[in-house]
Amino acid sequence: MADPKKLQARKDRTLRDSLSVDKGVVRAVEKITQYSSGYGFGARRRLLTGALRLTRGMSPEIADALAACKEMIGYGKPIEMYVKPDPMLNAFCMKNPSGPTIVVLSSRLLEVFSPAELRFVIGHELGHASFDHFGIPMPHSAMVEDLAGTIVSRPVSLQLYIWCRAAEISADRIGLVCAQDPEAAASGFFKLASGLY
């Protein structure tokens, strides 16, 4: 089992620590939380109506890939997997405030990715969940405004975007560990970045 903390990019960790105590970032995150609270988790409701929640019986290959990734990095929290009808290669992860972490894969991704490439993608998304990259929602935190304009200053906003890139590197490292095949990880990364397959 790999220790995710040892795979986390240093810049991800250090910037996250400094940004999470910045007054502007704290206010922006509070405002985002205020906007989204009180209505339940609308993103999950939209998924339940516009995507298919995957179970082991429906897709044992995906369930096995998810279980392998969780075991490799010691991720013990519950996860719901969804497939969304989409002709683009896409995957994303969402934090559910009162329930399981949600991982969404596009239908096209499931059609063209090999099992090892799929483990890379699932591992990447679990990396975001492991490191709680949702704690500072991006790009919303850098853009949220009040009457005086954006809450986060321009220099801090730039730091947020740098942290965002470092967070992607951390998630890619987790994906590489989960894929257990550097060529498949590179191929999956290239397919996602370029849209070519």
Side-chain angles (χ1 to χ4, degrees), residues 138-140 142-143 156-166:
M138 279 296 289
H140 308 301
M143 299 184 313
V156 173
S157 179
L158 292 173
Q159 291 295 304
L160 280 166
Y161 283 104
I162 292 169
W163 167 71
C164 213
R165 289 305 314 144

Side-chain angles (χ1 to χ4, degrees), residues 62-196:
I62 295 172
D64 289 344
L66 175 63
C69 290
K70 285 178 71 173
E71 184 177 341
M72 279 184 232
I73 64 168
Y75 191 83
K77 297 177 183 172
I79 295 175
E80 287 183 356
M81 293 283 296
Y82 291 83
V83 60
K84 187 173 182 170
D86 190 345
M88 305 299 287
L89 298 175
N90 193 16
F92 58 93
C93 188
M94 295 187 295
K95 180 180 181 180
N96 186 344
S98 60
T101 302
I102 294 172
V103 176
V104 182
L105 307 172
S106 71
S107 55
R108 190 67 180 153
L109 186 142
L110 294 180
E111 290 173 355
V112 300
F113 272 43
S114 71
E117 290 170 337
L118 188 61
R119 286 193 308 273
F120 169 75
V121 172
I122 292 171
H124 175 96
E125 299 307 331
L126 285 182
H128 287 306
S130 291
F131 299 126
D132 189 32
H133 290 151
F134 315 110
I136 303 176
M138 279 296 289
H140 308 301
S141 297
M143 299 184 313
V144 71
E145 297 180 345
D146 61 10
L147 293 175
T150 56
I151 293 175
V152 175
S153 69
R154 184 180 297 286
V156 173
S157 179
L158 292 173
Q159 291 295 304
L160 280 166
Y161 283 104
I162 292 169
W163 167 71
C164 213
R165 289 305 314 144
E168 290 298 324
I169 291 169
S170 296
D172 285 340
R173 289 176 178 177
I174 297 290
L176 177 60
V177 166
C178 289
Q180 297 206 330
D181 180 346
E183 288 182 22
S187 172
F189 182 83
F190 175 76
K191 287 177 182 177
L192 282 170
S194 68
L196 301 173

